[in-house]
Every structure is written in C-alpha cells, then in structure tokens.
Amino acid sequence: MKNWLMKSEPSVYSIDHLAAEGRTLWSGVRNYQARNFMVQSMAIGDRVLFYHSNADPPGIAGLMRVSGAARPDPSQFDAHSEGYEPRAKRSAPVWQCVEVEFVAKAGRFVSLEELRAQSSLAKMELLRKGSRLSIQPVTPAEMAAVLKLVRIKVQRFKG
DNA sequence: GCCAACGTTGGC
DNA sequence: GCCAACGTTGGC
C-alpha cells in the first residue's frame, strides 16, 4: 500500500465536495509525471492526502483512498471542457485518471506553514522549493507524521 | 496581482 | 538536441 498527496483548489473541488459525493474521478490532471504516477504506481486502497492548493491558507484538508484504477479521463474528449485534448482519440487517449473515495476530513486543518515547521517533513516533496507536482508520493514516515497532525486515526482506513 | 519556478512547445 | 519563448502553478 502506497501513500500519496493530491492537490485541488478548494474553489474548484474541496474536501467538502468529496465528502458530499463519497467518490469522484480525479479528472483534469494534465501533467505527464502526475499521470504516470496514476497509471503506473497507484493501486486500489492506496492512501491519499487531500491538499487544498491556491487556498487561504493552503494545507492538508483530509484523506481519501484510491477506489478505482486509472482509466481515460473523460474531460479530454469534451470540446467544451477546459481539459479538452485535441490530440486524444477514444482509441488513443492521452490523459488518465483514477477514482478516489472519501475517507475522512482532517480533525484539524494543517496549513502549509505548519507542515514546514515539522522537521520530520523536511524532505517532503510538497515542501520542496518550486515543487508544483499535483500528484506526489509520500513516504510512510511522512504519512504517519501528517496523519498525526491532522488527527486522523489509521483505523479509519480499514474495512 | 505579482512573480519564481517549472513544464511544454516549436524553430533551428 | 538545444534552448528561448511562452503558459501554468501556486505561494505570498
């Protein structure tokens, strides 16, 4: 079981949207490295931190779990979508997305500033200067540290 | 709104 | 294959 962090702008799609829906397709990713993580490395059951980017303040808002394997991102075929991809064909999609399901809201929202203050997270990809990856791997130690900060019990993953 | 850092595109 | 120009991300 791997650990991940995925970013979303809460004004577009927040942890509350996911909590209300239960599950969603993580569509709209248009970065090859992020796509490759979803296609090559993610598996059902993987744990994912939900990060609110471009927010005031930005930070960890909750937790989700990968509930469906990567599949073609439908928005790439929609000419009216911002994510429209003219190069994509039904038979040769360019972009993929996984399905994720809600696990828990952070018991306490943990801001980027607070994450930066943790020495245990010093090497976290999210905190690297200039880091923009919207889907990134998280080490088990980093995940444990963040779950403690947001006050989510690991038990919540089981079942 | 600003802008640093980064990714992508396209001319050569 | 190089790299300048451009577009995007995302913190501040």
Side-chain angles (χ1 to χ4, degrees):
Chain A
M1 162 139 1
K2 298 193 194 69
N3 302 294
W4 305 92
L5 178 146
M6 305 208 298
K7 300 177 182 175
S8 178
E9 302 190 18
S11 61
V12 177
Y13 195 86
S14 72
I15 189 72
D16 288 327
H17 289 114
L18 181 63
E21 283 193 305
R23 57 181 58 197
T24 192
L25 274 183
W26 203 260
S27 65
V29 172
R30 295 295 181 268
N31 170 281
Y32 290 104
Q33 198 176 350
R35 179 200 68 181
N36 292 346
F37 279 136
M38 288 194 286
V39 172
Q40 299 168 4
S41 308
M42 272 190 192
I44 291 172
D46 283 2
R47 304 185 288 198
V48 186
L49 295 169
F50 193 132
Y51 179 82
H52 280 179
S53 63
N54 259 316
D56 188 19
I60 305 292
L63 199 62
M64 44 194 180
R65 159 170 46 205
V66 177
S67 55
R71 68 204 64 178
D73 181 338
S75 67
Q76 72 193 302
F77 304 119
D78 177 3
H80 301 295
S81 163
E82 246 185 74
Y84 179 61
E85 172 55 80
R87 297 172 297 169
K89 298 193 170 67
R90 296 277 173 182
S91 58
V94 177
W95 304 109
Q96 302 271 323
C97 56
V98 293
E99 185 193 79
V100 292
E101 68 182 14
F102 177 77
V103 174
K105 239 183 121 161
R108 193 175 69 88
F109 179 88
V110 176
S111 70
L112 177 62
E113 181 183 25
E114 187 175 352
L115 294 173
R116 286 198 192 283
Q118 309 296 318
S119 56
S120 57
L121 300 177
K123 292 186 175 171
M124 199 174 178
E125 166 67 21
L126 178 74
L127 308 183
R128 241 192 58 242
K129 183 183 165 106
S131 170
R132 297 188 341 189
L133 248 193
S134 66
I135 297 181
Q136 40 184 273
V138 171
T139 69
E142 289 163 353
M143 179 58 92
V146 173
L147 289 180
K148 194 169 181 182
L149 286 169
V150 296
R151 295 188 187 141
I152 292 174
K153 295 265 201 289
V154 173
Q155 263 94 325
R156 300 288 296 267
F157 284 109
K158 293 181 179 165

